[in-house]
Amino acid sequence: MLAIKNAVLVMRDHLVPDGALLVEDGKIVAAGEASAIPVPDACKTLDAGGLFAGPGLIDIHTHAAGGKYFYEDPAHCAREVLMHGVTGVLPALYFNLTRDQYLAAIRKIDAAQCPNILGYYMEGPYLNPKFGCDRENNPWKGPICRDDYMEIVSAVKHTAKAWAVAPEREGVYAFCEDVAREIPGIAFTVAHSEASPAQIERLIPLGLRIGTHHTNATGDLPRYPECRGVCVDETVNYRDDIFAELIVDRRGIHVDPYMLRLVRKIKGERRLLLVSDACVFDGPIPPGYDGVTDINFDFAGEIAGSKLTLDVACRNMMIHTGCSIVDVFRYASFNPAKALALKGKGALLPGYDADIVLVDGWMNVHNVLLKGELVK
């Protein structure tokens, strides 16, 4: 058994200033005020030194870490994000992979058996080919065909947690029906899309409940002589049953800080998800982006994901919106667990996995426990 003492516990909606945690067999046994938690004499102890103790971060959407893609070196990437407090990660596989490359990536990541990899975020293949980075290398622009995708669906039948689609593509409804039948409970996301509200809402009964990197690669608003139209962002903002992913870089380029504050006001505390969407591209930095260090650009000079880690995204969210440390743990741990129905994760509660991070007030990670084992 391990006791974590002298910690400020970050709970779902409040703080416990003089808090303690008891951990045994990879689970949280007790969490609360230190005075109310008896610690056995033979128990190992970890003095948090007044740091904040929160649930391990969960990055549901990232492609890479430490300069490599997950499909290139999953163990390296998993270790890199773990050192930044990410005790749960979904490697994202992008639409620029062919069917054989998808299958090879899945086999390689599965074989690595990294304990903080929780499954897959399938960012494709059926997105709108007009949007997103590296779109010149998209082998999935043609008609949606069951014979093309079922082998991929079968390969992630027990591991995929989220599947991104463009609802406006012809045949995508039948695709989602097949995926939902094979993977009950899968979360569909609207991504790289110019879908109408009706096209998006049609997929909600099948499990659509996330807006992928909200306000990025979401299409052009239709415009009419009388009014401004509505598209993906408006639907995600309006629907209380859709979570909004946010990529929060330091300069507010993916999402303008004012937009971050607006989305937070609209969606509330329970429907925001912080993601890193980290990639590896080495394209030219376009004019006007001098000094930007946490964003990638593809070879056409388009924004191509980030170089963020989730702890830094949390810090940036605090800076841009004034939200609290309780809030960012909700956006980067509790809400992701809720959105994907990840049992026993996202909170400091008895019976939950002992995935715990110790951070200072600016989300600098000092210690990480993965299922009760101190890994940093």
Side-chain angles (χ1 to χ4, degrees):
M1 182 176 285
L2 172 69
I4 301 174
K5 297 175 152 185
N6 193 20
V8 180
L9 304 188
V10 183
M11 310 305 280
R12 289 179 182 177
D13 54 9
H14 66 284
L15 298 172
V16 179
D18 185 15
L21 294 161
L22 285 183
V23 172
E24 187 172 30
D25 295 330
K27 301 288 185 181
I28 296 172
V29 177
E33 294 182 1
S35 60
I37 298 177
V39 178
D41 292 338
C43 187
K44 295 180 181 178
T45 61
L46 173 62
D47 189 336
L51 293 170
F52 294 90
L57 306 181
I58 302 172
D59 195 347
I60 70 166
H61 181 176
T62 188
H63 302 261
K68 294 183 179 181
Y69 283 103
F70 272 87
Y71 62 75
E72 294 175 322
D73 192 340
H76 166 83
C77 294
R79 180 72 181 176
E80 283 288 317
V81 299
L82 187 60
M83 293 302 98
H84 289 271
V86 176
T87 58
V89 62
L90 298 187
L93 301 179
Y94 195 47
F95 68 63
N96 59 359
L97 301 176
T98 66
R99 179 174 61 180
D100 288 345
Q101 288 171 332
Y102 265 113
L103 295 172
I106 293 160
R107 286 193 297 269
K108 188 165 187 175
I109 295 170
D110 283 351
Q113 296 185 330
C114 302
N116 61 328
I117 292 181
L118 305 180
Y120 292 101
Y121 189 108
M122 306 298 288
E123 194 175 5
Y126 297 121
L127 308 183
N128 190 318
K130 291 166 57 176
F131 305 108
C133 67
D134 202 31
R135 56 184 175 270
E136 296 79 8
N137 299 313
N138 181 355
W140 301 90
K141 297 177 182 179
I144 295 176
C145 177
R146 198 170 192 272
D147 290 341
D148 292 337
Y149 65 72
M150 279 309 297
E151 192 174 0
I152 297 173
V153 175
S154 296
V156 294
K157 182 174 182 177
H158 302 293
T159 49
K161 305 295 184 187
W163 210 306
V165 296
E168 71 273 22
R169 285 196 61 170
E170 185 176 354
V172 81
Y173 189 87
F175 168 77
C176 290
E177 284 185 312
D178 282 338
V179 172
R181 188 180 305 113
E182 293 294 311
I183 314 174
I186 187 77
F188 290 107
T189 85
V190 53
H192 298 243
S193 170
E194 56 183 353
S196 68
Q199 289 169 326
I200 295 168
E201 290 175 342
R202 186 180 181 220
L203 295 181
I204 288 175
L206 293 180
L208 190 147
R209 56 181 180 270
I210 297 173
T212 292
H213 42 56
H214 188 41
T215 77
N216 296 128
T218 49
D220 297 323
L221 277 174
R223 295 189 177 275
Y224 310 101
E226 301 85 1
C227 67
R228 176 180 186 267
V230 294
C231 193
V232 178
D233 298 335
E234 288 71 28
T235 312
V236 172
N237 280 340
Y238 178 72
R239 294 290 308 210
D240 291 339
D241 46 2
I242 298 180
F243 291 83
E245 291 180 10
L246 296 171
I247 306 169
V248 188
D249 55 70
R250 184 62 184 88
R251 291 263 294 269
I253 293 169
H254 277 93
V255 188
D256 185 275
Y258 195 94
M259 179 65 76
L260 287 171
R261 296 190 284 272
L262 175 62
V263 172
R264 183 179 175 225
K265 182 176 182 178
I266 293 170
K267 298 300 294 179
E269 305 303 326
R270 298 180 182 275
R271 288 294 181 266
L272 296 184
L273 306 172
L274 295 184
V275 299
S276 66
D277 196 15
C279 295
V280 182
F281 284 96
D282 194 24
I285 299 175
Y289 290 94
D290 296 339
V292 174
T293 60
D294 56 3
I295 292 177
N296 293 294
F297 300 93
D298 68 14
F299 295 103
E302 297 263 356
I303 292 176
S306 83
K307 298 179 182 178
L308 292 166
T309 50
L310 200 54
D311 54 337
V312 176
C314 288
R315 185 181 314 137
N316 291 339
M317 188 69 173
M318 295 168 74
I319 291 169
H320 291 321
T321 71
C323 70
S324 73
I325 197 165
V326 171
D327 296 326
V328 291
F329 268 105
R330 178 182 288 277
Y331 308 153
S333 188
F334 179 75
N335 287 356
K338 184 77 171 176
L340 298 181
L342 302 174
K343 295 182 180 179
K345 295 186 180 296
L348 301 181
L349 294 173
Y352 276 49
D353 290 341
D355 297 338
I356 302 163
V357 294
L358 300 182
V359 301
D360 65 18
W362 284 109
M363 289 298 293
N364 294 296
V365 176
H366 289 246
N367 300 104
V368 182
L369 285 85
L370 180 63
K371 293 187 177 178
E373 296 294 325
L374 190 65
V375 295
K376 178 180 179 180

